[in-house]
Amino acid sequence: MMDRSNTVATIRDNALWMRRRAFQMVHAAQLGHPGGDFSATDIVATLFFGVLRYDADLPRKPDRDRFVMSKGHATGVLYTALCRAGYYPEEWLDTYMQPGSKLNGHPNRQYLPGVEANTGPLGHGLPIAVGIAIAGQIDGAEYRTFVLTGDGEMQEGSNWEAAMTAGHRKLENLTVIIDRNRLQQGQGTEQTSSLDPLPEKWAAFGWEVFEVDGHDCAQLLEVLGAAPSGRPRAVIANTVKGKGVSYMENQAKWHHGVPTDAQLAQAMEELV
Amino acid sequence: MSETVISAPAKAQDCRVAWSETLTDLAGRDERIVAVVNDSLGSSKLDGFAKAFPDRTVNVGIAEQLMVGVGAGLANGGKVPFVSAAGCFLTGRALEQIKADVAYSGYNVKLVGQSSGVAYGELGATHHSIEDLGWLRQLGQITVIVPADSWETAEAVRWAAEHDGPVYLRISRMKVPDLEIANRSFRPGRAEVVRDGSDAAILACGTCVHLARDAAELLQAEGVSVRVLNVATINPLDEDALAKAAATGAIVTVEEAHVRGGLGGAVAEWTASHHPCRVTRMGFDGFRTTGSAERLFEDAGLTAEGIAAQVRATLSA
């Protein structure tokens, strides 16, 4: 049995770096979605530094594991992860949202290595991931496909079309992680159009369902790294929007809030 | 370029047959080809394909947004997906997926709109796709092709399979005769000269090309020389061909589509900027709810005589 403690420590270190760097980027750009960046950071760090098999020098290697960032607005976490994984130099992060930059408010696979789909409008990533998984199924390939969605995003019907077909086709090479921070743009998900009971819904569509603490990297690593089991896998990761910065945690307004200089400084003191 | 010589009217054919036979043939030689449908195997005439290649037929059920997303995902996984569904549902229901997952993401998806235009006739406007050319023309990365007959349909499918980039193929259901043009070759992005002429030009696509040709024959008998172009590629437009057409001073566009935004819209935009001339746009100007496709064509004046009348009107304006 592999000793994962080294891996978990590495994941946590990278997650910390990602939060700090992403918040600096949002501050510099005066734009971004930091709340949703931070609820997803531990999930994304676990994937990139503990689960996914890829070669950053060969971003389109045919047998790579795929990661589809369906909550495409969380570019702070995505771009810092890709950078840390070696897809492009750190200087690129300084261009976030600048005119002519490859690092736009939503990801673009046509000029940014490591991006699998131009997400942004919600509900697109899971159907695309299903298509990738079907390609893999046709070929009997070993690569796996992971897709990260928001929970508010689950209100989009296209996700359920995808869930239905994935369950029907038993796409065991497909895993969806839902960033269950229970907030969306205006207020809470349960006050808007309630998703609960969410695990039961996925199970009803034929998925194997796990509920985990979305900020426990060891738990995430165990579930996301587990071998395929005959059904597509749904991991409901219970998270805190804005996790890691006291004044952001659980605040809907930080969906697309921008920190002042003082707020940035305070966050840098807290993120250690 | 050459004139058509018709000794007897060519038999009208359903272009979907050419589409499916060509795809099945290609798939036998290229295992990357996968068909994606929304419970539309029958209407896409892909039952034979599905029988031959069951593992490469992906039926997602009545879920168009999923269908197009799956197409993009299959392309990511190295496949050459042909996403085939009734044009009205493919382009309407999944327009955002076509925009974001296919055009903007740059995925090599071949979108195939079946039974396009008013082919579904009596079933009503929800089942007509007269807006598709307008909608898709604006998505620059997608090559939009409207084959005029069975021969061109087969050629377009072959080309699409080889081309690296998204394509929208608009397949007709209304039967059309082969244009029977000598020494033909399919050139995407280039309009085909069906008939030379100098007094006016008719620019048509799809099911309207043979009608345009017949209209020109009528006008020839009246001493009016009309150039007829088969504008099979709506996007990108053949600007050279447009320039030559505009030089006649009078253009009539004809399409089984909305008069605003499709071929006519494209031609009007181009001439207004580059070579102003009279342009009359023929097609459908809104929902048409009653009648067979043939009847709807008649009511919209989409007949040889109706087109000839518009040419005369344009010339005398």
Side-chain angles (χ1 to χ4, degrees):
Chain A
M1 185 65 62
M2 188 170 90
D3 172 12
R4 291 191 187 278
S5 55
N6 236 5
T7 311
V8 173
T10 305
I11 292 170
R12 290 199 184 115
D13 283 344
N14 286 321
L16 181 61
W17 181 88
M18 286 160 59
R19 280 191 169 90
R20 291 178 61 88
R21 203 66 189 80
F23 212 40
Q24 289 162 5
M25 283 161 60
V26 171
H27 174 260
Q30 288 289 293
L31 265 181
H33 294 84
D37 283 333
F38 283 17
S39 57
T41 301
D42 299 301
I43 298 163
V44 177
T46 303
L47 283 169
F48 274 90
F49 308 110
V51 178
L52 297 170
R53 293 164 307 175
Y54 56 88
D55 182 342
D57 293 326
L58 294 169
R60 301 241 176 125
K61 196 156 160 297
D63 63 352
R64 69 191 184 282
D65 284 340
R66 270 73 163 169
F67 171 62
V68 179
M69 184 61 157
S70 192
K71 51 177 285 182
H73 55 280
T75 40
V77 63
L78 176 66
Y79 292 164
T80 50
L82 289 172
C83 175
R84 193 73 163 176
Y87 281 89
Y88 46 79
E90 198 182 328
E91 300 87 77
W92 289 24
L93 296 179
D94 299 326
T95 70
Y96 187 47
M97 307 262 201
Q98 298 302 312
S101 170
K102 295 195 214 301
L103 274 60
N104 313 135
H106 292 89
N108 193 323
R109 68 178 286 273
Q110 300 219 49
Y111 46 69
L112 193 65
V115 175
E116 300 289 357
N118 293 20
T119 51
L122 298 172
H124 284 240
L126 185 58
I128 292 171
V130 166
I132 300 172
I134 293 173
Q137 194 183 52
I138 290 172
D139 290 343
E142 293 200 1
Y143 64 80
R144 300 176 65 187
T145 303
F146 296 84
V147 53
L148 176 63
T149 71
D151 56 352
E153 180 171 10
M154 282 299 126
Q155 288 158 356
E156 285 283 0
S158 52
N159 292 304
W160 300 101
E161 293 177 14
M164 194 179 290
T165 268
H168 176 79
R169 296 185 69 112
K170 296 183 166 42
L171 295 176
E172 64 169 7
N173 55 355
L174 175 65
T175 299
V176 65
I177 306 110
I178 298 130
D179 182 351
R180 190 83 172 100
N181 59 32
R182 297 191 163 263
L183 291 175
Q184 47 192 106
Q185 194 163 228
Q187 45 183 12
T189 57
E190 305 312 289
Q191 287 74 48
T192 306
S193 190
S194 67
L195 298 162
D196 286 337
L198 193 55
E200 286 84 341
K201 291 182 166 90
W202 285 95
F205 278 72
W207 291 58
E208 178 189 37
V209 186
F210 292 92
E211 249 196 290
V212 300
D213 175 349
H215 299 297
D216 181 338
C217 295
Q219 226 183 87
L220 285 164
L221 185 61
E222 180 155 350
V223 168
L224 296 174
S229 59
R231 284 182 291 163
R233 182 170 293 155
V235 177
I236 297 168
N238 292 311
T239 58
V240 174
K241 198 155 187 172
K243 176 78 172 178
V245 177
S246 58
Y247 58 78
M248 284 213 294
E249 292 192 359
N250 257 328
Q251 304 293 318
K253 69 175 185 194
W254 279 98
H255 174 77
H256 41 48
V258 174
T260 60
D261 294 351
Q263 286 173 325
L264 177 67
Q266 185 186 341
M268 293 301 109
E269 281 178 27
E270 292 184 9
L271 290 169
V272 290
Chain B
M1 92 195 119
S2 50
E3 287 200 29
T4 50
V5 176
I6 306 172
S7 49
K11 184 168 175 291
Q13 293 165 39
D14 178 344
C15 294
R16 292 178 298 158
V17 175
W19 133 258
S20 68
E21 286 180 352
T22 307
L23 188 74
T24 306
D25 176 57
L26 289 171
R29 286 175 278 126
D30 184 350
E31 59 182 20
R32 299 172 305 160
I33 290 175
V34 174
V36 192
V37 296
N38 61 340
D39 195 22
S40 55
L41 271 182
S43 56
S44 294
K45 291 217 179 292
L46 289 176
D47 288 310
F49 182 99
K51 221 172 179 161
F53 309 108
D55 295 341
R56 289 153 59 187
T57 304
V58 179
N59 183 356
V60 301
I62 309 167
E64 291 73 26
Q65 295 181 354
L66 171 65
M67 181 179 59
V68 175
V70 162
L74 287 167
N76 174 292
K79 302 301 175 194
V80 178
F82 279 78
V83 177
S84 175
C88 49
F89 308 132
L90 170 63
T91 61
R93 199 59 163 267
L95 186 58
E96 193 184 85
Q97 278 71 17
I98 294 172
K99 169 184 173 182
D101 307 348
V102 178
Y104 186 42
S105 290
Y107 269 121
N108 189 31
V109 177
K110 319 304 173 182
L111 301 161
V112 189
Q114 303 288 350
S115 304
S116 51
V118 297
Y120 280 123
E122 300 90 331
L123 298 186
T126 56
H127 284 52
H128 299 166
S129 65
I130 57 175
E131 310 85 354
D132 55 345
L133 297 183
W135 291 339
L136 263 56
R137 192 166 67 83
Q138 296 189 318
L139 300 177
Q141 295 197 33
I142 301 182
T143 305
V144 178
I145 298 176
V146 187
D149 59 15
S150 289
W151 177 88
E152 193 161 56
T153 300
E155 291 295 300
V157 173
R158 266 190 274 279
W159 176 82
E162 288 303 309
H163 175 70
D164 184 18
V167 180
Y168 176 58
L169 290 179
R170 197 195 204 233
I171 310 294
S172 313
R173 187 191 189 110
M174 273 184 87
K175 293 187 175 165
V176 286
D178 261 25
L179 295 175
E180 295 183 325
I181 296 169
N183 304 318
R184 246 179 138 178
S185 64
F186 176 67
R187 296 181 305 162
R190 305 300 305 274
E192 180 179 43
V193 180
V194 177
R195 195 177 199 290
D196 209 347
S198 51
D199 295 329
I202 307 173
L203 274 49
C205 65
T207 52
C208 297
V209 179
H210 73 102
L211 299 171
R213 178 196 58 194
D214 293 348
E217 298 278 323
L218 292 176
L219 291 160
Q220 182 70 62
E222 298 163 22
V224 180
S225 155
V226 179
R227 190 174 176 78
V228 176
L229 296 185
N230 168 18
V231 187
T233 307
I234 308 298
N235 190 44
L237 277 181
D238 182 347
E239 303 205 16
D240 281 343
L242 284 189
K244 291 196 177 86
T248 66
I251 290 178
V252 173
T253 63
V254 196
E255 60 198 300
E256 185 183 349
H258 207 293
V259 289
R260 292 193 300 277
L263 171 61
V267 170
E269 287 165 20
W270 189 89
T271 56
S273 299
H274 297 101
H275 201 313
C277 66
R278 281 297 307 264
V279 177
T280 299
R281 291 167 283 120
M282 296 186 72
F284 298 94
D285 64 1
F287 301 136
R288 290 282 171 266
T289 56
T290 58
S292 64
E294 290 73 20
R295 177 57 191 267
L296 295 178
F297 265 58
E298 281 168 27
D299 289 350
L302 299 177
T303 60
E305 178 46 51
I307 296 168
Q310 286 298 331
V311 173
R312 290 184 208 107
T314 309
L315 283 170
S316 60

